[in-house]
Amino acid sequence: MAGIGNIFLGDDGFGPEVLRRVTPRLTDPAVRATDYGIRGMHLAYDLLDGYRGLVLVDALPNRGAPGTLHVFEADHDLSAATGLDAHAMDPAAVFASLRALGGEPPYTVVIGCEVGCIEDGIGLSDVVAAAMPDAVHTVEDVVARLSARTAAREG
């Protein structure tokens, strides 16, 4: 599981904040939770270890409903064609960097929250902060489903 986002840009810190809250609640020793912040290349290199699944927790653009959670499978075919980018944290850029390094992206679920404010400043807006309990519960559910999926494939 990867929390991504910039904690110095308000609601863009959604991913790291969710990870901070959910990590102590995870009990499966096979689940690795890391706050990558804005270190896209770090995530790409870690994915070279051959994970079977990935949960990305990130802020999403505001489409008119700040605080709304979305859960969807990542489309790896939309990966950016730019290759290695040490400063990009966009998931498409991470997957393109991973491919440039010789790896393949694992099955990926994105859990995102529409932002309310991404201006300079630490801390989430009230509307995104209110989504935290649901976000933590959603992450726990998705991780449990991915763990069960992986166990079924290995069994």
Side-chain angles (χ1 to χ4, degrees):
M1 175 177 12
I4 56 179
N6 187 338
I7 64 167
F8 299 108
L9 293 176
D11 290 343
D12 195 48
F14 171 78
E17 181 60 22
V18 170
L19 235 51
R20 184 184 72 77
R21 294 177 187 214
V22 79
T23 300
R25 300 167 58 128
L26 298 174
T27 59
D28 185 343
V31 175
R32 179 176 168 211
T34 303
D35 174 5
Y36 286 93
I38 57 172
R39 300 179 326 250
M41 275 309 290
H42 187 176
L43 174 56
Y45 276 112
D46 282 354
L47 289 173
L48 288 172
D49 289 341
Y51 291 95
R52 292 192 187 339
L54 172 64
V55 177
L56 288 176
V57 185
D58 196 7
L60 299 176
N62 183 345
R63 295 196 169 105
T68 300
L69 294 176
H70 299 273
V71 179
F72 55 93
E73 292 180 25
D75 185 352
H76 297 127
D77 293 331
L78 295 177
S79 295
T82 58
L84 297 174
D85 185 347
H87 303 290
M89 196 53 220
D90 176 85
V94 171
F95 297 141
S97 296
L98 175 62
R99 283 194 173 105
L101 294 167
E104 282 298 317
Y107 173 77
T108 304
V109 176
V110 178
I111 300 171
C113 182
E114 289 187 39
V115 299
C117 177
I118 52 171
E119 296 175 2
D120 288 346
I122 297 176
L124 302 175
S125 67
D126 290 344
V127 68
V128 171
M132 273 302 129
D134 286 341
V136 168
H137 179 71
T138 300
V139 167
E140 291 172 331
D141 285 349
V142 168
V143 167
R145 280 185 282 155
L146 280 177
S147 294
R149 175 188 169 152
T150 299
R153 287 186 176 192
E154 292 175 355

